Amino acid sequence: MDTATHIVMGFGLAGLATLDPLVAQSPLTYQAVMIGVVAGSVIPDIDTVLKLKDNAAYIRNHRGMTHSLPATLLWPFILAAIILALVPGSNASQLLIWTLAAVSIHVFVDIFNAYGTQAARPFTEKWVALGTINIFDPFIFIMHLIGFAIWQTLGHPGITFVIIYATISVYYVLRGFYHKYIIKYVKSQLPGLTKVYLSPTMRWSHYHLAAESEDYFYVGKVNGKKLHLIDRFERTPIDFDNQMIKAAAEDKNVRAFLSFSPIYHWSMARRNGRYVIQFTDLRYYSKGTYPFTATVWLDKHLSVQSSYTGWVFSEQKLRKKLVLARMNS
């Protein structure tokens, strides 16, 4: 989920924690738990600082190690140690329990959007992405705001957020069933599909679609019960024995892209005396373009002149980023 949603979930858990007698009866413990659940609700996203290094590091690692099983267990101990130093005298065991709940819920809800996490690491580095909830879901966010309003006016935060989270849980289940229904519908409209990737939007019945069959890639939108195809690409396997492809695949930006994207189209061309190899993620079609890409410039000796991976919404901006990357290399 987005940062704002993780934060409101943290405060929601603080309300829920008032049902715990050991928390509710001790102002110091409640203060510590509130700090713990809010911090625990955002701490796995600390890897966002990798953007300061470069996009390749961010793409390869965001929601990776910091969302893994070892990290999920380690974050509560780190946070609890810091908070106990700031709020001495609070109940350490309850602080640890509630902070663990906050971190675990953060990782758990991230699994439900299209980006996903490496939540099963170190057992597998596979990205787990169910694609049933948008990264920002208005219903989930508004339900928390309603809960806060009730908390401030009528009190009873614990009971309020039991009801709020029960409602949200039902919502998750319904979105899951609807997601399966849409996949079944898409397969009925495009026989022969082997994989279907749905990216939910902020509207219940609207999805972005990327799918593949043995021969083609498909890109489209599902609006209600209507499938609108946008593009169809002939599926051409990548020959990693090709010297140009091999040279491009060794670049850090391309490696980051390939480690993350499960469905992409690639192209190779010669322009202005250089080879241009581009990989385009088909899941993120937006406003007539595919903004998530990895592009490499190779010279005639197949040495990398420049490369870039990330979100770019026009060919002109991509060219500027490649020129800038070349100047800084």
Side-chain angles (χ1 to χ4, degrees):
M1 307 300 289
D2 68 304
T3 302
T5 302
H6 284 307
I7 290 174
V8 296
M9 282 185 168
F11 283 106
L13 281 175
L16 196 64
T18 60
L19 293 177
D20 183 340
L22 295 177
V23 174
Q25 294 170 9
S26 169
L28 274 179
T29 299
Y30 179 70
Q31 181 183 0
V33 167
M34 175 172 279
I35 296 171
V37 292
V38 174
S41 292
V42 297
I43 193 66
D45 283 344
I46 195 172
D47 54 12
T48 302
V49 299
L50 290 171
K51 280 187 176 181
L52 299 175
K53 183 179 180 182
D54 56 50
N55 280 354
Y58 175 74
I59 291 168
R60 286 186 72 93
N61 296 287
H62 181 51
R63 295 190 178 180
M65 182 58 73
T66 59
H67 288 62
S68 66
L69 288 171
T72 300
L73 296 174
L74 183 60
W75 287 128
F77 286 95
I78 295 173
L79 291 174
I82 295 171
I83 295 167
L84 286 172
L86 297 173
V87 190
S90 53
N91 189 308
S93 62
Q94 299 311 108
L95 171 61
L96 191 61
I97 289 170
W98 282 99
T99 305
L100 174 60
V103 175
S104 300
I105 289 172
H106 175 120
V107 175
F108 179 71
V109 297
D110 277 354
I111 290 172
F112 288 87
N113 59 55
Y115 196 104
T117 75
Q118 289 181 315
R121 195 170 174 176
F123 299 106
T124 175
E125 294 189 4
K126 181 180 178 181
W127 289 88
V128 184
L130 300 182
T132 58
I133 302 290
N134 189 267
I135 195 167
F136 174 79
D137 189 294
F139 177 80
I140 295 172
F141 194 81
I142 290 171
M143 286 299 294
H144 280 85
L145 297 185
I146 292 172
F148 298 146
I150 295 172
W151 183 353
Q152 293 302 311
T153 55
L154 302 178
H156 306 295
I159 296 173
T160 298
F161 276 96
V162 165
I163 297 171
I164 294 291
Y165 286 130
T167 303
I168 290 175
S169 297
V170 171
Y171 176 73
Y172 267 77
V173 172
L174 293 176
R175 288 299 307 238
F177 279 120
Y178 192 72
H179 183 268
K180 289 183 178 181
Y181 166 77
I182 294 297
I183 289 179
K184 185 177 180 180
Y185 165 71
V186 169
K187 287 183 175 180
S188 72
Q189 299 298 303
L190 298 171
L193 293 182
T194 55
K195 291 183 180 179
V196 177
Y197 299 91
L198 291 178
S199 298
T201 67
M202 288 190 287
R203 300 179 66 178
W204 172 276
S205 59
H206 289 213
Y207 290 84
H208 296 295
L209 165 71
E212 63 182 63
S213 66
E214 292 295 331
D215 300 314
Y216 296 102
F217 290 123
Y218 299 91
V219 176
K221 292 183 178 180
V222 179
N223 297 335
K225 293 184 178 181
K226 293 183 179 180
L227 170 62
H228 302 278
L229 283 181
I230 296 169
D231 275 329
R232 187 183 75 169
F233 301 98
E234 189 171 339
R235 189 174 176 183
T236 306
I238 296 180
D239 181 9
F240 283 101
D241 291 328
N242 179 287
Q243 292 303 308
M244 281 186 287
I245 297 296
K246 187 180 294 186
E250 291 176 355
D251 177 77
K252 68 175 183 178
N253 286 302
V254 174
R255 291 201 310 270
F257 178 92
L258 294 178
S259 71
F260 173 74
S261 177
I263 180 168
Y264 56 85
H265 173 66
W266 69 280
S267 63
M268 184 165 54
R270 188 164 185 174
R271 301 172 193 158
N272 302 322
R274 64 169 69 98
Y275 297 104
V276 181
I277 302 176
Q278 187 171 49
F279 303 84
T280 305
D281 194 308
L282 299 180
R283 296 173 297 171
Y284 302 112
Y285 178 87
S286 175
K287 299 178 181 178
T289 188
Y290 296 90
F292 186 51
T293 180
T295 305
V296 179
W297 285 349
L298 301 176
D299 63 20
K300 63 181 180 179
H301 303 295
L302 304 186
S303 296
V304 175
Q305 288 185 320
S306 183
S307 67
Y308 177 81
T309 187
W311 299 84
V312 186
F313 288 87
S314 73
E315 186 67 26
Q316 183 180 9
K317 289 183 178 179
L318 175 59
R319 195 175 299 113
K320 287 181 179 179
K321 289 182 179 294
L322 286 163
V323 170
L324 182 62
R326 183 180 182 183
M327 292 172 59
N328 293 334
S329 61

